[in-house]
Amino acid sequence: MTSTIPTYQIEWEKLPDDFILPDDPVDNIHQPALAAALTDSLENAGKIPDNAITTTNYGICATVNGKIVVKAPDWAYIPLLRVPKEEIARSYTPQLQGETPIIVMEFLSDTDGSEYSSKPTHPPGKWFFYEKILQVPHYIIFEPYRGLIEHYQLGKLGEYEIQSADDAGRYWIPQLKLYLGLWDGRKEQRKGYWLRWWTETGDLLLWGSELVIQERQKAEVERQKAEVEKQKAEVEKQQAEVERQKAEVERQKAERLAAQLRAAGIEPEL
């Protein structure tokens, strides 16, 4: 498949099996946890269908002017695959193997500015590749240490435009029908700022660990309710026993009185 943009010929071809993918180390110690957390809550909320996929540090490819370009965003959401997942084990080519990612993210860890690179010559910069080649609708640049989010959305002219957060400090991603925003707290061994998802009504999508805690709390509430009901039943049982004993006392008292009346030659009225 081939498409063109001004001065650039783009071909969507499968990456050759012998192509050596970049083996760059993850340059952000927080990147794996941040990426996994984004996917975790989406999976729990049923927001990743079987024919969709999220990726982290995974090659997304295109051939530009006859040269293969591979970029590996820190996190991406691909909404529709047209091939079995086994076919994209090494890399993914939009248009050929499925749809363009809805959103790509880069987590800042240094000051080289590669996330902002509009370099058009080979190899093109990340910004240029996401904006001009892939035309990804949403590009997120996140600085995790200070909790700074930059949301760029592809405008009508095919250029990224900075977006403003809403009153809650969140950004609407219409393709996912979710808000993306900042959350400060702890997950496992990391304490700090995280990117998280909220529903249109403002409900936070929970991580698996939070769901476990929530279920435990629900179970504890149910246990306490059951214990209260048990204690209530026990009190009612004791009250019933007291009433039974009182009735027995009254019955015995009545029998004694009747016996006394009969001894005096008086037949008691029943």
Side-chain angles (χ1 to χ4, degrees):
M1 298 177 65
T2 303
S3 58
T4 60
I5 60 175
T7 71
Y8 292 95
Q9 182 179 13
I10 307 170
E11 297 174 300
W12 307 103
E13 300 177 336
K14 183 179 179 182
L15 197 70
D17 292 337
D18 60 354
F19 185 87
I20 299 176
L21 288 165
D23 191 24
D24 299 333
V26 175
D27 60 358
N28 186 326
I29 191 173
H30 301 295
Q31 183 268 336
L34 291 168
L38 283 162
T39 297
D40 183 357
S41 54
L42 288 178
E43 286 180 334
N44 292 327
K47 292 290 187 177
I48 308 178
D50 290 340
N51 59 353
I53 189 174
T54 63
T55 69
T56 177
N57 201 35
Y58 167 83
I60 299 178
C61 314
T63 302
V64 183
N65 290 343
K67 295 182 179 180
I68 295 173
V69 179
V70 181
K71 297 295 180 184
D74 289 333
W75 191 86
Y77 185 106
I78 298 168
L80 178 64
L81 301 174
R82 298 193 183 96
V83 298
K85 290 183 180 179
E86 293 75 14
E87 291 189 24
I88 59 168
R90 296 182 69 233
S91 64
Y92 174 74
T93 302
Q95 311 299 326
L96 177 68
Q97 297 174 315
E99 293 187 357
T100 298
I102 287 172
I103 183 171
V104 296
M105 299 188 188
E106 296 289 351
F107 307 141
L108 295 179
S109 61
D110 51 43
T111 57
D112 67 1
S114 61
E115 292 80 7
Y116 299 94
S117 175
S118 296
K119 175 175 171 286
T121 56
H122 189 82
K126 291 179 180 179
W127 183 289
F128 181 87
F129 187 68
Y130 300 149
E131 179 188 61
K132 300 299 184 185
I133 306 303
L134 298 185
Q135 297 181 334
V136 178
H138 302 273
Y139 181 24
I140 304 295
I141 298 176
F142 178 51
E143 200 286 279
Y145 299 99
R146 292 178 293 167
L148 302 178
I149 303 174
E150 295 176 16
H151 174 205
Y152 297 93
Q153 186 168 328
L154 203 64
K156 294 180 179 179
L157 299 179
E159 297 181 349
Y160 280 136
E161 300 172 353
I162 187 73
Q163 302 297 300
S164 298
D166 66 6
D167 292 341
R170 300 167 191 161
Y171 301 88
W172 179 241
I173 310 297
Q175 294 88 340
L176 292 174
K177 295 182 179 179
L178 293 172
Y179 285 99
L180 179 72
L182 192 66
W183 184 86
D184 185 10
R186 177 179 292 277
K187 175 176 168 59
E188 298 174 354
Q189 301 302 314
R190 181 180 183 273
K191 185 180 184 306
Y193 294 108
W194 302 80
L195 291 174
R196 300 201 65 171
W197 306 103
W198 281 264
T199 67
E200 193 169 2
T201 56
D203 295 321
L204 178 66
L205 298 194
L206 299 181
W207 295 320
S209 57
E210 291 173 326
L211 286 172
V212 170
I213 293 173
Q214 186 182 72
E215 289 303 312
R216 287 176 181 169
Q217 291 173 339
K218 286 182 180 179
E220 177 61 19
V221 169
E222 291 301 317
R223 187 195 67 78
Q224 292 178 358
K225 286 172 62 178
E227 182 64 26
V228 169
E229 291 299 318
K230 180 181 177 182
Q231 292 174 356
K232 181 180 177 182
E234 182 63 27
V235 168
E236 290 175 349
K237 179 181 177 182
Q238 291 174 356
Q239 288 176 341
E241 178 62 20
V242 169
E243 293 300 321
R244 188 194 67 77
Q245 292 176 357
K246 286 172 63 177
E248 178 64 18
V249 169
E250 291 298 322
R251 185 189 66 80
Q252 293 176 359
K253 181 179 178 181
E255 287 183 351
R256 288 195 298 268
L257 179 59
Q260 291 172 355
L261 291 172
R262 289 190 185 99
I266 302 172
E267 185 63 30
E269 294 181 3
L270 300 178

